[in-house]
Amino acid sequence: MIRSGRRDRLRAVPAPSLISGAGSTGRRRVDQWCAGWRGPGRPGRVPAGGHGVSVLPGMWTCGWPPAEVRTAGTARLGLVVVGRCGASAAGLERALADVEAGRWRALTRWAGSYLTVAARYGTTAVIGDLAGQHPVHWKPLDGGGLWWATAALPLAQLHGAAVDRISLAARLALGPFGILAERSLFTGVRRVPPGHLLLLRPDDAAVVRFESEPRPVSMPEGAPQVAAALTEAVTVRLDGRPGVADLAGLDSTTLVCLAAAQGVPVDAVTHADPRMRDDDLAYARRTAAVVPGVRHHTFTGSEEAVLYGGLEDPGSAPVTDEPTLYAATARIKHAQLDLVSRAGAVYLTGEGGDVVLAASAGYLPDLYREGRRREAWQHTLAHARVRRVSPLTLWRRVRFLARGGVAGGWRQAASALRAAPNPAATVTPEAVARQVLSPCARWLCPGVRLHLADEVDTAADAFGEDPGMADWSDRQDLMRIGSSLAGWRAITREHGMTLATPYLDNEVVRACLAVEASERGAADRYKPLLAAAFPDGPVPGFVLERTTKGGLDGVAHAGLVRHAGLLAELLGPGSHLAGLGLLPSAGVGGEVAAAASGRPGGAGAIHYAVAAELWLRQAADAPAHWMLSEEGDGRAAA
């Protein structure tokens, strides 16, 4: 029998079906977002606590420090960047020529992570980043006019929009964002897909692609660009500020070495809970011993610092605009940061490195489609050997996906949804570019499954030029990571620090993904791109030769066992997910017990379901993000 270790009770929360923006004023808002108005006259509401941007009338920032809101030009021809941007003041002024010429992509090539808003003679371009850390949403209003924002929840509050349960079902069952690319998690609120911008002209609005497909290059050709982009990404973040960092796997260790090479002391922390049973600590100690300026700290964990710790009060989870997996790891992160918190410091994390430094297994069907079938077979054999799966079973999947491409994989997923899916029958590695259903799919009620299947088929029919499965999957994984990182960012802000994710910078993403996927993702080498990028330091050779990777599996399982009762209640009959038909009406207590007992396949689904449930509760109880513009006295607008 699985026990929780103590009788945890969840704090009750309301369960409205609409997002009204009239929740308790004691609740927390999404704390960093931007918004803009395009329409006749002044808007009836403005963002609560917002600060107007002088260069761009009709734009507000909320929660952003003044140093990270930078402008150039005038309202007639102007530029605004929000976030950490490596452009100098003179560089922003020079970029006004790109604004005037409509060279939008040129405005995304500085180091850092930021939103760009450019105005020229009545036309405005709103440009997010390639990894979804600065997403762009928009909502036309019935009475005329349009609002855009970097958070969807405030836009949903404008007219009490409901959660789009099919869009949320797609996130749970299919994972990637790309299938329902322009649908947000709220009805009537549209999302701008990655690589696209929102172009607001005097008489209309359009979503326009600005990112071009990269020209594939060999690893020797692309590695120097990767080294330059990653080094600049780290340098821009520090800028004389104290450095704090993860020191664990290959990706985070590389960032620590690059930061130390700038002459800035780095407080590096390794999560070394004995239940994790990995070799991160051994490598971290070796690195700290040979890299000058690294002060090493070890977090050995505790009984409470496990997955799902602290969720007795769902309101304690970080407040985010979309579901975040960090809601379940918040207690671990807080305990880890308690060791190294430094006000004003930059916290470097290697998140995103797994995507850009390696490659999705989708490159296997890409090789087959390109006529490189002997090479495809050799790579399939290598992946099957490393993952210990049947080469022939994997090969059949590769050939099937090669024939259908990305859209064909979607159609197969739609068929599986209609057939009451059994995700246990999926094929690895990584289910070949995630073109299969996640374990959450079996929990959807029949009506939701059928509706989602129809939407997926419609999306497949409308799918344009196939970019290749590897490129498509890699970019969807970037969006998945980028959106979830909002939770980690909120946690670091509570400790007075700023999260930095250099691997998700536009130029780092571009440099890495330009390298042939078959070279980045070969199964016989572990992230060879880093070794090619830094052959002469500052990363020690023993780090670049590492072939192992740590993980939270032991701590995650301990959390499942300790909090099984709490999770069964959280995902029980009274959950918001069950109310939307995204969980069985009886809940998933049996699934939780089975996962806690060690049955494979269910733990990941529970993690995603918990993230979604906590987000739904926050959204239902969110305070107003708007105030009446004519009052100007800060009164919240219901």
Side-chain angles (χ1 to χ4, degrees):
M1 182 174 69
I2 305 301
R3 288 185 251 185
S4 66
R6 65 181 183 276
R7 184 57 177 164
D8 294 316
R9 300 300 301 176
L10 294 172
R11 194 174 77 179
V13 296
S17 60
L18 296 182
I19 306 304
S20 66
S24 165
T25 56
R27 306 295 289 174
R28 295 172 292 168
R29 298 184 179 97
V30 175
D31 60 353
Q32 279 191 334
W33 59 293
C34 304
W37 162 257
R38 168 58 64 91
R42 295 176 57 191
R45 313 179 200 185
V46 296
H51 296 275
V53 179
S54 59
V55 166
L56 196 64
M59 177 178 171
W60 292 263
T61 64
C62 302
W64 284 98
E68 295 193 1
V69 182
R70 302 170 59 204
T71 65
T74 66
R76 183 170 172 79
L77 182 66
L79 178 63
V80 182
V81 290
V82 182
R84 191 64 182 172
C85 177
S88 64
L92 290 180
E93 291 290 341
R94 288 193 297 270
L96 293 174
D98 294 316
V99 175
E100 187 164 27
R103 293 189 290 263
W104 310 124
R105 187 174 185 270
L107 306 176
T108 68
R109 304 205 61 180
W110 299 296
S113 178
Y114 48 86
L115 172 80
T116 306
V117 185
R120 61 163 190 179
Y121 315 129
T123 293
T124 302
V126 187
I127 315 170
D129 66 309
L130 298 178
Q133 296 187 95
H134 299 272
V136 178
H137 300 86
W138 58 296
K139 179 180 177 62
L141 302 186
D142 293 339
L146 174 150
W147 276 102
W148 63 263
T150 55
L153 174 59
L155 297 183
Q157 288 183 346
L158 287 171
H159 284 101
V163 170
D164 184 338
R165 71 170 183 165
I166 299 303
S167 184
L168 184 55
R171 299 278 186 95
L172 291 171
L174 301 166
F177 290 74
I179 294 181
L180 305 181
E182 295 194 32
R183 284 175 69 162
S184 78
L185 291 174
F186 299 98
T187 58
V189 178
R190 305 179 191 178
R191 181 188 183 97
V192 178
H196 294 68
L197 58 85
L198 178 63
L199 194 63
L200 303 174
R201 294 179 286 246
D203 298 320
D204 67 354
V207 174
V208 178
R209 184 173 180 85
F210 70 86
E211 185 67 4
S212 56
E213 297 298 330
R215 177 184 67 85
V217 299
S218 67
M219 190 169 294
E221 183 182 356
Q225 282 70 43
V226 172
L230 191 56
T231 300
E232 187 178 8
V234 172
T235 303
V236 161
R237 288 335 200 288
L238 294 174
D239 193 24
R241 294 185 292 175
V244 180
D246 296 320
L247 182 56
L250 182 54
D251 309 338
S252 61
T253 301
T254 297
L255 299 182
V256 168
C257 295
L258 291 174
Q262 306 298 318
V264 177
V266 180
D267 286 290
V269 60
T270 302
H271 187 185
D273 192 307
R275 292 168 291 191
M276 290 161 58
R277 297 181 181 178
D278 57 35
D279 55 357
D280 279 355
L281 182 57
Y283 276 95
R285 284 173 171 165
R286 288 184 68 186
T287 301
V290 300
V291 177
V294 175
R295 297 187 291 243
H296 187 217
H297 307 262
T298 302
F299 172 58
T300 56
S302 66
E303 286 299 312
E304 291 75 26
V306 292
L307 206 68
Y308 309 118
L311 294 188
E312 297 87 353
D313 175 13
S316 66
V319 175
T320 56
D321 190 56
E322 296 185 348
T324 173
L325 296 179
Y326 290 91
T329 61
R331 175 160 288 182
I332 300 173
K333 293 299 186 183
H334 279 300
Q336 183 176 325
L337 292 180
D338 284 340
L339 287 177
V340 291
S341 288
R342 297 186 64 186
V346 179
Y347 197 107
L348 295 164
T349 178
E351 290 289 347
D354 283 341
V355 177
V356 298
L357 296 173
S360 159
Y363 84 86
L364 299 174
D366 289 345
L367 288 176
Y368 192 98
R369 294 176 73 189
E370 294 166 9
R372 300 159 64 181
R373 297 185 180 182
R374 179 182 295 274
E375 190 177 352
W377 169 245
Q378 292 170 341
H379 280 255
T380 299
L381 281 176
H383 278 284
R385 182 171 58 251
V386 170
R387 271 77 171 188
R388 298 180 181 179
V389 298
S390 164
L392 291 179
T393 301
L394 182 57
W395 182 242
R396 284 194 291 270
R397 176 72 178 168
V398 167
R399 290 192 301 170
F400 173 84
L401 289 174
R403 289 192 295 270
V406 173
W410 294 359
R411 292 189 179 94
Q412 187 190 39
S415 297
L417 282 166
R418 293 188 177 95
N422 176 17
T426 59
V427 180
T428 53
E430 298 82 50
V432 186
R434 305 181 189 278
Q435 296 284 24
V436 294
L437 303 179
S438 84
C440 294
R442 67 174 178 264
W443 296 339
L444 305 180
C445 73
V448 171
R449 281 207 312 269
L450 294 177
H451 191 168
L452 178 57
D454 290 342
E455 295 285 356
V456 172
D457 272 337
T458 299
D461 292 340
F463 192 64
E465 183 178 354
D466 195 324
M469 197 163 292
D471 183 76
W472 184 84
S473 299
D474 287 341
R475 294 187 184 277
Q476 302 314 306
D477 281 344
L478 284 175
M479 291 293 290
R480 173 179 53 83
I481 293 170
S483 66
S484 190
L485 274 170
W488 192 195
R489 188 170 294 108
I491 292 168
T492 54
R493 275 201 296 270
E494 289 185 38
H495 289 259
M497 297 188 290
T498 301
L499 187 71
T501 54
Y503 289 106
L504 297 182
D505 275 21
N506 289 340
E507 287 298 275
V508 175
V509 169
R510 287 170 176 138
C512 290
L513 297 191
V515 176
E516 286 274 7
S518 59
E519 295 189 63
R520 284 185 285 120
D524 58 344
R525 294 173 292 169
Y526 184 59
K527 297 182 181 175
L529 184 52
L530 273 182
F534 300 104
D536 303 314
V539 188
F542 66 84
V543 172
L544 297 173
E545 293 166 3
R546 185 178 176 182
T547 60
T548 57
K549 178 179 175 60
L552 283 173
D553 290 355
V555 175
H557 183 68
L560 267 174
V561 173
R562 182 179 178 86
H563 297 293
L566 180 148
L567 296 176
E569 186 177 354
L570 181 70
L571 303 178
S575 69
H576 288 14
L577 288 171
L580 291 172
L582 305 181
L583 287 184
S585 58
V588 291
E591 299 274 357
V592 172
S597 68
R599 191 186 76 182
I606 292 168
H607 194 170
Y608 276 93
V610 166
E613 177 65 22
L614 292 174
W615 173 78
L616 283 169
R617 292 177 181 224
Q618 288 180 345
D621 196 32
H625 284 73
W626 304 91
M627 64 183 186
L628 300 174
S629 60
E630 63 270 19
E631 298 294 338
D633 60 0
R635 290 195 300 161

